[in-house]
Amino acid sequence: MPQNAVRTDSPARGTAHPTWWRAPLVATLAGLPFLVLEFHWFRSQDGLGSLGGIFYWSSGLLALAWVLPRRRSLRTPRMLISGAGLGCVMLPVLFALALGMAMSSG
């Protein structure tokens, strides 16, 4: 075999995850409109306030789901991080809905 020949059976090729992008894409597409809504909602109230940490955590978790290495062994952590990011995005919205329902039922 010549020295400059390219090997197609390299171990790195077998460990690449071909659909690594699905979990971050689903979480981002579902959470991004709510993330923008929350940002405008928080900014209209003179800053992020007490829920600002949730905004930063959700943004950070969604970004981390995209930048994880594309190995098959990181499929589960990528899904968990995407789900946690989506959960953090939805937390203020669900809290506001629950608070509105509690106030209207009294």
Side-chain angles (χ1 to χ4, degrees), residues 25-80:
L25 181 68
V26 168
T28 303
L29 288 178
L32 192 61
F34 291 107
L35 197 61
V36 171
L37 174 75
E38 290 169 12
F39 180 74
H40 287 295
W41 181 30
F42 291 151
R43 296 300 283 177
S44 69
Q45 302 297 323
D46 294 331
L48 296 176
S50 61
L51 294 176
I54 294 172
F55 179 77
Y56 292 126
W57 270 98
S58 59
S59 301
L61 286 171
L62 288 176
L64 181 64
W66 280 104
V67 299
L68 279 176
R70 298 173 182 152
R71 293 190 301 238
R72 188 175 297 274
S73 63
L74 292 175
R75 180 178 11 188
T76 303
R78 185 177 292 108
M79 287 181 166
L80 291 174

Side-chain angles (χ1 to χ4, degrees), residues 41 92-106:
W41 181 30
V93 174
L94 293 176
F95 180 70
L97 286 174
L99 189 62
M101 287 174 49
M103 296 293 283
S104 67
S105 67

